[in-house]
Amino acid sequence: MANRTDPLAKSIRGTNPQNLVEKILRSKIYQNTYWKEQCFGLTAETLVDKAMELDHLGGTFGGNRKPTPFICLVMKMLQIQPEKDIVVEFIKNEDYKYVRALGAFYLRITGTDIDIYRYLEPLYNDYRKLRRKLADGQYALTHVDEYIDELLTTDYSCDIALPRIKKRSQLEHNGQLEPRRSALEDDFEEEEEKDEDEPLATGLDDEHEKDYYRGGSPTRDRDRDRRRDSHKYRDRDYDRDRDYDRDYDRDRDYDRERGRRDRDRDRDRDRHRLRDDKDYGRERDRERDRDARERDRRDRERGRHRSYSRSRSRSRDRKDRDDDRRKRHARSSASPARDEPKKKKEKKEKKEKKDDGTDHPDPEIAEANRLRASLGLKPLKL
């Protein structure tokens, strides 16, 4: 409730007046102790007392960007939206300079372009000192006229983005604003009046001199001749100086032209050198690419030859293995035919051995069969 805008307040530039302050700065102001304790319940009448207690101006300061009392009171004025007459009285107050600065800042962010120029430009004549709190917490010295110039010429002041205003020349061209009159124009007019009075006094002296030369005195004639000769010498000196100046200008033009010619020559030389360097660099890159392609080609041929020799050796090894296998196969196929009678004889003997019953599992029967075999009898059949 304490941070809401007055329901009777009008929107400024199409938005809530408090929205003219950035949201981050607005939240910092709402959380500030000075806002909660000193700005609670202030009205347009009691706001003046708080403004008279100000001893510096500024936006935020410190590591956590703490707002100053000056910016808190600006926020309070945006919340309650005092009348224009009260703001104008703030600006015209000559006893309290910070009250004037507060009113000027509020008018700058809420007023029209014509009102801003009309009420703030007269403050250029106020040269009183102001204390300004910087972002690091230190104080800096400034003046009222410098502060007003900052409000009229910059877009950012006291950590608040100022609304854009039209240029004064455009308002003067449209007839909405009269040309600015400086406070020093009165002094300039007095100086001009003094300059106009001096020719009148010199005119009287010229008349006395004419009367002096009107006579025919030898002394006056001598003075006239001396003055004429002095004019002649002066003209001669003037001609000499003029010739010298002409020669000096000619030499200077020649030197300038020669310097320009030398610079052009040096520029052309540098340009050709750069072009040659570029061509050399391009040719070097081309040769490097050519060498790289040649190296790749040699590597591919070497790899192809290596793979070919490897495949030849592999095929040779395969052929040798095939030959060995074929020879073994031939030997193995020839040996069974040669050993066949021996195997038949061994099978026959083994069969005969088995037929005599000597290999019977029962040792007694086997012993009996051996005995019967030695006697030539047939083995026992069990």
Side-chain angles (χ1 to χ4, degrees):
M1 295 294 292
N3 299 333
R4 288 186 179 179
T5 308
D6 189 356
L8 300 179
K10 300 178 182 179
S11 62
I12 299 176
R13 304 182 188 278
T15 184
N16 190 337
Q18 293 193 80
N19 292 339
L20 297 175
V21 181
E22 288 82 355
K23 181 175 178 56
I24 298 177
L25 179 57
R26 194 163 64 242
S27 61
K28 289 181 181 295
I29 292 174
Y30 291 157
Q31 297 172 5
N32 187 256
T33 306
Y34 183 86
W35 171 266
K36 295 178 180 179
E37 295 180 357
Q38 305 297 330
C39 298
F40 179 77
L42 285 181
T43 61
E45 292 79 9
T46 57
L47 181 67
V48 182
D49 300 333
K50 296 298 179 182
M52 292 167 58
E53 296 176 0
L54 292 175
D55 58 352
H56 65 277
L57 55 88
T60 57
F61 65 94
N64 56 355
R65 313 301 294 173
K66 183 179 179 181
T68 58
F70 178 83
I71 208 68
C72 291
L73 291 181
V74 172
M75 190 69 181
K76 192 64 181 180
M77 292 181 70
L78 292 173
Q79 183 180 1
I80 64 177
Q81 199 178 60
E83 297 180 0
K84 181 180 177 181
D85 297 337
I86 298 177
V87 178
V88 172
E89 290 299 326
F90 276 26
I91 296 174
K92 293 182 178 180
N93 192 331
E94 298 181 357
D95 297 331
Y96 299 94
K97 52 189 176 182
Y98 293 104
V99 175
R100 169 173 284 186
L102 181 65
F105 189 87
Y106 177 77
L107 183 65
R108 172 63 179 85
I109 60 179
T110 60
T112 60
D113 300 344
I114 300 175
D115 291 339
I116 291 172
Y117 284 109
R118 182 179 300 168
Y119 291 109
L120 296 190
E121 281 185 343
L123 302 184
Y124 275 126
N125 302 325
D126 191 351
Y127 307 112
R128 289 180 292 181
K129 298 179 181 179
L130 293 174
R131 285 204 311 170
R132 184 165 190 166
K133 203 161 193 177
L134 303 179
D136 57 356
Q138 301 293 329
Y139 289 98
L141 180 64
T142 184
H143 299 81
V144 177
D145 57 332
E146 296 177 2
Y147 179 67
I148 296 301
D149 185 69
E150 177 184 338
L151 294 179
L152 293 178
T153 57
T154 61
D155 297 333
Y156 206 77
S157 179
C158 295
D159 297 330
I160 293 181
L162 304 177
R164 294 185 178 272
I165 58 175
K166 297 181 181 178
K167 295 185 178 296
R168 181 181 177 83
S169 58
Q170 183 178 357
L171 297 177
E172 291 179 0
H173 180 72
N174 295 337
Q176 299 176 350
L177 201 64
E178 297 180 358
R180 181 169 175 264
R181 181 180 176 84
S182 175
L184 301 177
E185 290 186 2
D186 297 336
D187 298 337
F188 291 151
E189 291 178 357
E190 292 179 0
E191 293 295 334
E192 291 177 357
E193 291 178 358
K194 291 180 181 180
D195 295 340
E196 291 177 358
D197 294 341
E198 288 180 359
L200 297 176
T202 55
L204 296 176
D205 296 338
D206 293 340
E207 292 180 359
H208 291 299
E209 189 175 0
K210 288 179 181 178
D211 295 337
Y212 174 77
Y213 284 115
R214 192 172 291 123
S217 174
T219 305
R220 286 193 292 271
D221 294 338
R222 195 182 307 110
D223 294 339
R224 188 183 303 110
D225 294 337
R226 189 181 296 111
R227 291 191 179 186
R228 189 183 303 111
D229 294 339
S230 65
H231 286 299
K232 188 194 307 181
Y233 295 142
R234 190 182 302 114
D235 295 338
R236 190 189 310 160
D237 295 337
Y238 175 74
D239 294 336
R240 189 185 302 110
D241 294 338
R242 186 175 57 186
D243 295 338
Y244 174 77
D245 293 339
R246 188 184 302 110
D247 295 338
Y248 175 75
D249 294 338
R250 189 184 300 109
D251 295 338
R252 186 175 58 184
D253 294 338
Y254 175 74
D255 294 338
R256 187 183 297 110
E257 183 65 25
R258 186 173 58 183
R260 187 183 302 108
R261 198 179 302 112
D262 294 339
R263 285 195 301 272
D264 295 339
R265 191 183 303 110
D266 295 339
R267 192 181 300 109
D268 295 338
R269 189 184 303 111
D270 295 339
R271 190 181 300 111
H272 290 304
R273 187 183 298 111
L274 290 174
R275 188 181 299 113
D276 296 339
D277 293 341
K278 288 181 179 178
D279 295 339
Y280 174 72
R282 195 178 299 110
E283 184 65 24
R284 185 173 54 188
D285 295 339
R286 195 178 296 113
E287 291 178 359
R288 191 182 296 112
D289 296 339
R290 192 182 303 113
D291 294 341
R293 286 196 298 271
E294 185 67 21
R295 196 181 304 109
D296 294 340
R297 186 179 60 79
R298 287 198 299 269
D299 293 342
R300 285 196 301 272
E301 290 179 356
R302 192 180 298 112
R304 192 181 303 113
H305 179 69
R306 190 182 296 113
S307 62
Y308 176 71
S309 60
R310 191 183 296 113
S311 62
R312 286 186 59 187
S313 62
R314 195 182 297 115
S315 62
R316 192 181 299 113
D317 295 340
R318 189 182 302 110
K319 185 176 180 182
D320 295 340
R321 286 196 301 271
D322 294 340
D323 293 340
D324 295 340
R325 191 182 299 108
R326 195 178 297 110
K327 289 179 180 179
R328 286 195 302 270
H329 182 69
R331 261 195 315 271
S332 62
S333 60
S335 58
R338 199 181 304 122
D339 298 337
E340 187 174 357
K342 187 185 294 184
K343 288 183 178 180
K344 287 182 177 180
K345 186 177 180 181
E346 290 178 355
K347 286 183 179 179
K348 186 176 181 181
E349 292 177 354
K350 192 179 293 184
K351 186 174 181 182
E352 290 177 355
K353 284 183 179 180
K354 289 181 180 179
D355 291 340
D356 60 3
T358 56
D359 57 348
H360 198 276
D362 192 353
E364 293 180 358
I365 296 176
E367 184 66 24
N369 287 332
R370 279 195 293 271
L371 182 60
R372 291 176 67 84
S374 61
L375 295 177
L377 298 177
K378 294 182 178 181
L380 296 177
K381 295 182 178 181
L382 297 177

